[in-house]
Amino acid sequence: MLQTSLTEMSPSVDEDVPSFVNTATAVVDAVNPSSDDPDWWRSAVIYQIYIRSFADGDGDGTGDIAGVRSRLGYLRDLGVDAIWFTPWYASPLADGGYDVSDYRAIHPAFGDLEQAEALIRDALALGIRTIIDVVPNHISDQHPWFQEALAAGPGSPERERFWFRDGLGPNGDEMPNHWISNFQGDTWTRTTNPDGSAGQWYLHLFTPEQPDLNWNHPGVRAEHEDVLRFWFDRGVAGVRIDSAALLVKDAALPELSENPGPGEHPNTDRDELHEIYRSWRGVADSYPGTRMLVGEIWLPDIERFAKYLRRDELHTAFNFDFMARPWDAEKLRESIDATLAAHAPVNAPSTWVLSNHDVTRPVTRYGRDDSSFAFASKRFGTPVDLELGERRARAAALLTAALPGALYIYQGDELGLPEVEDLPLDQLQDPMHFRSNGVDPGRDGCRVPLPWSGSAPGLGFGPEGAAAPWLPQPASWQKLAVEEQEADQSSMLRLYREALRIRTASPELHGPEFAWIASPDGVLSFSRGDRFVSVTNLSSAPIDLPDHAKILISSAGLVSGRLPPDSSAWLQTQQ
Ligand code: GLC
């Protein structure tokens, strides 16, 4: 790991910057929003837990609820307000749990319902809310509904919950249409009748193990609202909605047209979706406290995106536009401006996301020549400068934590973990890899189990004597382990902790105030309120900092009082 501590850089470092983190101003009593704060979600720090890979409590090599419960102190010390769990339900794990076979049961490898309830309680006692993931577009092909539909045959009410269609052509062996899967390849799979003859086809925008549900069916709607209630009754504070813009399809299932107008795409962003989310909002609002709905919405049109955030719909949605941008001041500024402008009319806060369980880790992405993110361009063997990437990821951590709105942190980003790009091919599990015929490395590289202790077997992922982690960790992660980083003042983990502590303690960082400050090309400087300024230098030369009373924190040591390239600083402008 590239460490930029002041001690290492002493000759060129300004004497008057007392330390890399000015703890005198940064240490203010951390205040977690009280449990009855209705606006907790507007500026919350939400930590994403990919449960298979966070911590293994029972020693079987797979992360679980017991592991998370044993590490709640770590999350409290990090300073997060909420944790979001990727699906932890019963599932064949054909797509890492996004193929749910029972929403009311926990996958046995992760624990059980009682443990989930205990976790929600324990976390809340530490001021940490729990957010769960709901996957309404599709379910597992092993879900009883789909099994019943297969057994009941064509024309049955059981099939109405899905998109079963006869095939085209004289023998029905041509797909009903030619939509392309989000995971590449076909979106239709043909079934086999009980007598062995070829049967109807069913639609799946993802893998064949994830049949799409028919959201025109009242039973599908009722069931999901019941699932929401099931979890709200157990104290969850929010729901992340998977593939939230895909649920509704044009029932005629037409072919894709070249340039569909707004709301005219047959399977994305259809206007009927808004009524569904209004109804979900009604369910959420019927509970005490604010139960937050956050949508996974990938849409190029930010105006259409903002429509989901109207007062009676979702509270927030992930801002993937910012995440996908390259490390370039103008492109990031443009995204920040567009994001704030689109959110303002609906009075919704923006979210800031550097990564998640689907995309290339920031340390790796920002170390590439092309530092933008696109699923379609992921390839094995893309050159990367990890030192540069880490430097930029540190700067990006401060930049995003200073922007107005909610902040999402994907587990392991606070450790500066890079994407693992050399996993043995026979251990890859992600369907994105297989469906690309091996061209796309897939998403396993950002899902490798976390390193907790550099000196323990399995880097402390499980207890003593535990089975090896379900994906192998690189040996180079020894020095990135939590224990090692806790002991190193200049580590990524310490940077995140201090940044979040300052953020929690600074009222101006919780409101909407935001104003750009004139700065040289390649520099992003903005104020939040009248005392706080954030500066990020994306240019290739060191820059002078604007007038300030104190440097609260910087992602790299200053050089002769100047902020070096690819780094950020937070300033207090008045005493
Ligand atoms: C979302 C999830 C992703 C999953 C897909 C299908 O994009 O984040 O992990 O594979 O939906 O459910």
Side-chain angles (χ1 to χ4, degrees), residues 351-397:
T351 63
W352 306 100
V353 180
L354 283 177
S355 83
N356 62 35
H357 65 293
D358 292 329
V359 309
T360 310
R361 292 260 190 201
V363 164
T364 300
R365 202 169 74 230
Y366 289 143
R368 298 212 201 277
D369 273 352
D370 176 1
S371 54
S372 62
F373 176 78
F375 285 106
S377 54
K378 286 181 75 181
R379 290 290 176 272
F380 287 100
T382 311
V384 56
D385 175 346
L386 287 179
E387 287 199 359
L388 177 67
E390 189 199 328
R391 201 175 161 79
R392 291 175 170 175
R394 291 174 67 96

Side-chain angles (χ1 to χ4, degrees), residues 439-463:
V439 171
D440 174 348
R443 300 165 294 177
D444 296 298
C446 66
R447 300 174 175 182
V448 172
L450 294 193
W452 290 93
S453 162
S455 53
L459 302 181
F461 179 61

Side-chain angles (χ1 to χ4, degrees), residues 95 98 138 183 206 240 242-243 296 357-358 443 447:
D95 180 20
Y98 283 92
H138 44 267
F183 285 174
F206 294 90
R240 179 259 189 195
D242 186 72
S243 305
E296 187 209 19
H357 65 293
D358 292 329
R443 300 165 294 177
R447 300 174 175 182

